[in-house]
Amino acid sequence: MMAKKRRLRMIVLLCALLVAAGGIFVAWEALGVSQWQQLDEDKLLNLAQTGAIYDKNGAYMTTLVGRENRTVIDTSRLPDHVVDAFLAAEDLRFYKHPGFDIVRILGAVVTNLRSGEYAQGASTITQQLVKLSHLSSQKTIARKLEEIHLAIQMEKRFTKDEILDMYLNFIYFGQGAYGVQAAAEVTFGVDAAELSPAQAASLAAAIKAPSIYSLQADAEANRQRREYILSVMLEEEMLTQEEYDQAIQEDLTALKGASAATEYGWFVDAVLDEAELQLDVTAEMLLAGGYEIYTTLDPEMQQILDKQFTSNVFPANASDGTQVQGAAACVENASGAVRAIVGGREYLTRRGLNRATHLRRQPGSALKPLAVYAPAIAYSGWTCASVILDEPTAFGTYKPRNAGNAYYGNVTLRTALKNSLNIPAVKLLEAIGVGNGRKYLAAVGIPLDDRDSNLSLALGSMTYGASPVQMAAAYSPFANGGIFYSPYFIEEIRDRSGAVVYRHQDSGTRVLSTQNAYLMTSLLKSVTSSGTGSRLSSAGTPVAGKTGTVNMTGGGNRDVWMNAYTPALSVCVWMGYDEPDANHRLANSVSGGTNPASLARNFFKAYYAGRSNPDFTRPDGLVNVTIDKKAVQWRGEPMLATSLTPDSYRINEVFIKGTEPTKKSDVWNPPAAVKSFYVTHNGEGYPQLVIEPSESAVYRIQRDSAGESIILAELRGGKGETLYYTDAKARPGVTYTYRVIPVHQELLDNGILLEGVQAVQIARVEQSESGLTRWLKDLFGASEKNQTGGEFAVSAVP
């Protein structure tokens, strides 16, 4: 019995071993362990690796620098607080773990599970170094395990101090500086061994993302992360309380240094930002990784755009000499490819603030087509001629006003957008729902905060705002038939071996029908031809667009925008101060339709000179009808013009077939003739006209005699009333002809009289000493009658 039990245990154990071995084999193959790299010291010690960037034609633009600005030093000579700053920032347990930190890994897992996203990493300094020097940017379990595998190898082959030495000489700090020595020189003009605790923490803060956290890129972001690092150093007793207090109080300013003016500098910076994102690599790995990056840059277009920023098109500087800043972006409508950008008046700092891509400002009325008009047409069936009442309106506690506090009564969507009227925009967003406005904005790549969920969104009020690149791309669907393409700078990236590691792919997302896209372009062409963007009317090419102006409390403007597009290209121009305040604000006279519009116009004129400039393509399924402007104003709806509508009140409008109005305008129809009209006398020998109206109208009394024709009076009356008029100025012996001319009361009120179309009654009267002799005749040639005394009724003219 015992022997059988032993055999059974042996069989179970053998089976378990076979299952375990099988599991190990499957995992081995699945994770590709056999293909994992071995640690290559050459990659750690020989750091000379350069790359290149090319334009859309494949022509060389610039070099990606690897070691040109790296000074390798023996970091053992650095003060403790310098090394400690990096340990506090990146790997506090560096000297305690074997290359990977299970404590940090577990902590990161918990944090990421709580946040529902990859919010926190757990890479040690050793892992960062092997990742930067040996591995791709893939986020897979296999790559992470290979990273740990290499980190363990590195820990076995090198001492902790050697690893830290390689790390501090390898990493990128921004401003072209590799390694702590170059970073100390570029940022503070000192040797790394002379760095104060605050300076060391400032450099340590930068390596997380130099374009965001370096002192040169964003002093406030650097300060916040620097103070966090210093607090960790205090907590870990790397600093005394006195040293910490001094470090917190120390005021840091980065060296201005020599100009970083570089051809295509703004564009190159945006390319590097995008490459880091697409490859999921840090700046140091990208610049020292030997990559070849093929971009969307159009060098000719870029040069033309650059030239506009050197012209005298900007508003005057502030009283203290601070320049009004500006930025612009040009996006190809057919693909989303960014062809040219300018991120400021002057390029001074590599990877600094690029206003074309980094800026987040409220777009003002430039957001109206995106947040209001496009979703109203696309989602709710509004047309270009739909009517909204423009009058002072309170939306609960929200009380927007039109510019100049001027209001225009009933207006069409076209008029409201052309003149950038605020009340109609807010009413329209209220009608379609804020959710639909947000839906469309999200569809065209405009970032929104949860707080951007109120009616002020109609006027471009946002928590954070948008960039010129985002705004330019968001307008492209209007030009290309309704397809949104995310804006991009890179077509393809190849690694040092020539293998393609990234290629842009985007088939686009339909956000509008081709007909609705054309309707939006039709509306926005009105803006540039005769509305707030009319400076674009002389652009030398068919163009549509919208202005945007953001006011400041107390007067003046904060931001001014011009979004304009042709069939091929969408352009956005922004102007304003980096830090607007009471002393740095644009004048009230500066709006999106002034300086930004002029810059956009000048760019288009220069770019399209000598180029074909076709108009926007009109799709099938549209019809044009002529509507009556007065019907819009008085009836509050679009109505078809009739033969009676004067030319000056006829408006040609475009509709999707089936949505055009069918009701004919009645505002110009002449009122019917009076029911009856006769002449008697008032007992004193004067003619007295007695009129019975057939409808509500104004009845104009006209008296004609030899050598004289005058209007005696205008009597207002309606059906069921009797009107009397005595001509107390009639003279004996004179023959008078009286005409009763019905006129539209509302037309008369507005100074409009249509001669020749009213029904008219005529009475001819000879005033004599002995009484009244009447000759009564209608307008259409009825026979005369001669009577004395009594009353004579004149039938209404048919």
Side-chain angles (χ1 to χ4, degrees), residues 489-510:
F489 291 84
I490 299 174
E491 297 286 1
E492 184 178 280
I493 303 176
R494 300 176 185 174
D495 66 16
R496 73 185 91 176
S497 69
V500 175
V501 293
Y502 168 77
R503 180 175 288 133
H504 176 77
Q505 293 180 324
D506 182 6
S507 58
T509 302
R510 178 164 291 283

Side-chain angles (χ1 to χ4, degrees), residues 728-740:
K729 295 184 178 180
R731 293 173 294 167
V734 179
T735 299
Y736 295 105
T737 298
Y738 293 94
R739 288 180 168 83
V740 178

Side-chain angles (χ1 to χ4, degrees), residues 393-540:
T393 306
F395 303 86
T397 59
Y398 180 46
K399 300 177 181 179
R401 297 186 304 171
N402 285 348
N405 214 25
Y407 303 90
Y408 301 91
N410 286 321
V411 294
T412 62
L413 261 63
R414 183 177 298 277
T415 298
L417 185 56
K418 180 182 76 169
N419 297 323
S420 200
L421 303 179
N422 290 337
I423 295 299
V426 179
K427 282 189 172 182
L428 187 52
L429 184 60
E430 182 181 49
I432 68 173
V434 175
N436 277 327
R438 286 175 58 90
K439 175 183 175 182
Y440 188 83
L441 288 171
V444 294
I446 300 300
L448 294 169
D449 186 83
D450 289 343
R451 290 167 288 184
D452 300 330
S453 300
N454 49 64
L455 290 177
S456 64
L457 187 65
L459 308 185
S461 177
M462 302 172 68
T463 304
Y464 297 111
S467 72
V469 166
Q470 290 169 332
M471 289 295 291
Y475 270 66
S476 286
F478 300 151
N480 68 21
I483 306 297
F484 173 70
Y485 298 94
S486 294
Y488 70 101
F489 291 84
I490 299 174
E491 297 286 1
E492 184 178 280
I493 303 176
R494 300 176 185 174
D495 66 16
R496 73 185 91 176
S497 69
V500 175
V501 293
Y502 168 77
R503 180 175 288 133
H504 176 77
Q505 293 180 324
D506 182 6
S507 58
T509 302
R510 178 164 291 283
V511 295
L512 293 171
S513 69
T514 54
Q515 292 81 11
N516 284 333
Y518 185 84
L519 292 184
M520 286 302 304
T521 289
S522 174
L523 290 175
L524 293 169
K525 286 181 75 174
S526 296
V527 175
T528 56
S529 63
S530 58
T532 58
S534 59
R535 290 195 184 188
L536 271 296
S537 61
S538 58

Side-chain angles (χ1 to χ4, degrees), residues 51 57 73 79 110 181 195 224 382 411 486 495 579 616 638 681 695 790:
N57 303 312
I73 63 171
V110 172
Q181 178 63 28
L195 290 168
Q224 292 179 11
W382 290 66
V411 294
S486 294
D495 66 16
E579 298 181 8
F616 297 93
H681 63 86
E695 63 178 274

Side-chain angles (χ1 to χ4, degrees), residues 685-716:
Y686 292 105
Q688 184 177 56
L689 282 67
V690 182
I691 304 166
E692 291 186 45
S694 59
E695 63 178 274
S696 178
V698 171
Y699 296 91
R700 178 169 286 179
I701 310 300
Q702 180 175 318
R703 187 185 73 184
D704 297 334
S705 61
E708 178 188 61
S709 179
I710 61 174
I711 302 296
L712 295 175
E714 290 175 345
L715 308 180
R716 297 176 186 265

Side-chain angles (χ1 to χ4, degrees), residues 325-340:
Q325 274 298 340
C330 304
V331 175
E332 184 178 81
N333 294 328
S335 65
V338 182
R339 296 303 184 193

